Amino acid sequence: MRDSTPQISSSQSAIAALVQNFPNGVLVLFDEDHRYRAVGPNVLPFSKTKATELLGRSIHELFPEQTTRRLEPEMRATIQGHARSFDIEYDDRIHHIETKPTKINGEPYGVLATQDVTQERETADALQEQNERLDQFASMISHDLRNPLSIATGHLELYQETGDSAHLTEVEKALTRLDELTQDLLTLVQPNEMADSLEDVSLSAVAHDAWEMIETRDASLTASDYYVKADRGQLQALFENLFQNAIGHGGDEVTIRVGAREDGFYIEDTGTGIPEEKRETVFEHGFSTGYGGNGVGLTIVSRIANHHGWSIELTEEESGGARFEFTGVEVAD
């Protein structure tokens, strides 16, 4: 049995921000003992309970036996690496729950997103669409928050061991990135006008910021100093996902290049590339070309591009690697 004190409480505020604007939503990070390690929003919309009252407590302490009998096997399966999607009745309401497995510093955890769907059950078509959004939302949470969360917790542990305050600077940077990603993910799942968020951004600067947020191994990056109009946080998320994909497929010493086109930019690598017959389907949610990926990263890339009004073409780099070309991009003056 684990200590009941949350082990990643430093990231609680960033994770909670994910659902501040998510209708009737609750987000939970739980461990293998079914204890809540992070939860948001600050006041839960269902019960009006404060999130701080749930931290470190197991589902057996929080819910009646009938509810825990339904939850426990699904949470156990999630910890073992299997995503789950199911309905549960609690307090005279119907809640739809999506879970995704993830790992933090090598330890298994589960992400649980739940939403009140009592009214939505009256309309099957609306429910199906909402379930798809919730499934993709939970997938994006598990996928894109893993790296900065691991960085934050890792440097926090180093600070606790050494007392070197330089590690706290890295924790702050990682948590700032978590805050940015939460807002970006909410923007992607809640369609709206994004004109106000566009700014002149440097491909080189954003690419190198993205490079610091992933495990780069012995890979190398070169990026043109070229300015486009984009949402900076979303552009960084796009780079992070494509860089991670390139390293996963191309190996530790892959070279990645970010360069300019007349009407946009490209990202290419010297890896093994993506077979031509798979290029039409790689952006579909859940599609994976291997190396342990979960088929979410390129879906996020596609959503970000569509949100900006950009087109993507997947081609081949001259040595056989993958090349992603983004067109319809507004070039900064």
Side-chain angles (χ1 to χ4, degrees):
M1 183 69 71
R2 298 184 177 195
D3 189 302
S4 62
T5 303
Q7 298 298 305
I8 56 168
S9 59
S10 62
S11 62
Q12 178 188 340
S13 61
I15 295 177
L18 278 167
V19 291
Q20 294 296 337
N21 300 310
F22 193 58
N24 299 318
V26 172
L27 175 68
V28 172
L29 183 74
F30 61 90
D31 64 20
E32 60 187 353
D33 294 324
H34 307 145
R35 292 184 181 276
Y36 284 13
R37 295 300 179 175
V39 59
N42 294 329
V43 178
L44 306 192
F46 308 146
S47 60
K48 306 305 177 185
T49 304
K50 292 183 178 180
T52 53
E53 297 177 12
L54 308 181
L55 289 173
R57 301 177 67 186
S58 74
I59 58 172
H60 298 283
E61 298 173 279
L62 298 173
F63 303 111
E65 183 180 355
Q66 181 179 359
T67 304
T68 58
R69 281 203 305 266
R70 180 73 176 96
L71 279 172
E72 188 171 24
E74 307 290 356
M75 296 173 75
R76 185 186 309 116
T78 304
I79 292 294
Q80 293 172 350
H82 306 288
R84 285 292 183 262
S85 174
F86 59 99
D87 285 352
I88 190 169
E89 293 189 30
Y90 175 68
D91 200 21
D92 297 325
R93 307 294 293 177
I94 300 174
H95 305 280
H96 182 70
I97 296 176
E98 297 279 345
T99 68
K100 295 286 180 181
T102 190
K103 286 190 176 182
I104 300 173
N105 293 333
E107 293 293 323
Y109 287 84
V111 174
L112 181 152
T114 178
Q115 188 172 44
D116 185 342
V117 295
T118 305
Q119 294 182 349
E120 287 78 2
R121 280 288 181 260
E122 299 175 0
T123 308
D125 290 342
L127 174 64
Q128 181 178 355
E129 181 180 353
Q130 185 153 340
N131 286 350
E132 290 174 356
R133 288 201 308 269
L134 186 58
D135 176 51
Q136 293 190 12
F137 181 67
S139 297
M140 288 188 288
I141 291 168
S142 176
H143 184 274
D144 261 24
L145 298 193
R146 183 168 56 234
N147 283 333
L149 186 57
S150 295
I151 290 172
T153 54
H155 279 285
L156 182 60
E157 289 175 357
L158 289 172
Y159 169 72
Q160 291 170 335
E161 292 173 2
T162 66
D164 185 352
S165 60
H167 292 296
L168 293 182
T169 301
E170 297 303 316
V171 170
E172 183 178 10
K173 286 171 58 178
L175 293 183
T176 297
R177 182 59 185 147
L178 276 172
D179 281 328
E180 293 171 349
L181 280 170
T182 59
Q183 297 306 315
D184 294 337
L185 291 178
L186 285 169
T187 299
L188 292 178
V189 298
Q190 296 178 343
N192 61 356
E193 296 296 329
M194 64 175 299
D196 292 341
S197 65
L198 296 180
E199 58 181 314
D200 294 351
V201 295
S202 164
L203 290 180
S204 177
V206 177
H208 284 93
D209 284 346
W211 197 249
E212 293 183 3
M213 285 293 128
I214 65 172
E215 176 55 58
T216 58
R217 304 173 190 172
D218 294 321
S220 61
L221 169 71
T222 60
S224 300
D225 191 15
Y226 182 69
Y227 284 78
V228 299
K229 289 190 178 294
D231 180 295
R232 195 184 197 285
Q234 290 189 20
L235 183 60
Q236 181 172 333
L238 182 148
F239 283 156
E240 288 173 15
N241 279 288
L242 285 181
F243 293 168
Q244 197 162 283
N245 189 71
I247 294 170
H249 283 289
D252 293 357
E253 298 182 356
V254 68
T255 296
I256 300 171
R257 293 184 288 267
V258 179
R261 288 173 47 95
E262 182 178 351
D263 56 349
F265 62 94
Y266 66 86
I267 302 172
E268 64 181 13
D269 63 71
T270 58
T272 57
I274 297 175
E276 188 172 356
E277 64 272 15
K278 294 183 178 181
R279 293 175 189 172
E280 294 296 323
T281 54
V282 294
F283 297 106
E284 295 179 3
H285 184 69
F287 182 89
S288 176
T289 54
Y291 87 86
N294 58 10
V296 176
L298 293 183
T299 301
I300 296 173
V301 168
S302 177
R303 280 177 173 259
I304 292 172
N306 290 338
H307 206 61
H308 283 78
W310 302 340
S311 297
I312 312 175
E313 183 179 1
L314 173 54
T315 62
E316 187 173 290
E317 186 263 352
E318 61 181 12
S319 67
R323 178 181 169 103
F324 294 82
E325 298 183 347
F326 297 85
T327 57
V329 180
E330 184 177 358
V331 178
D333 297 331

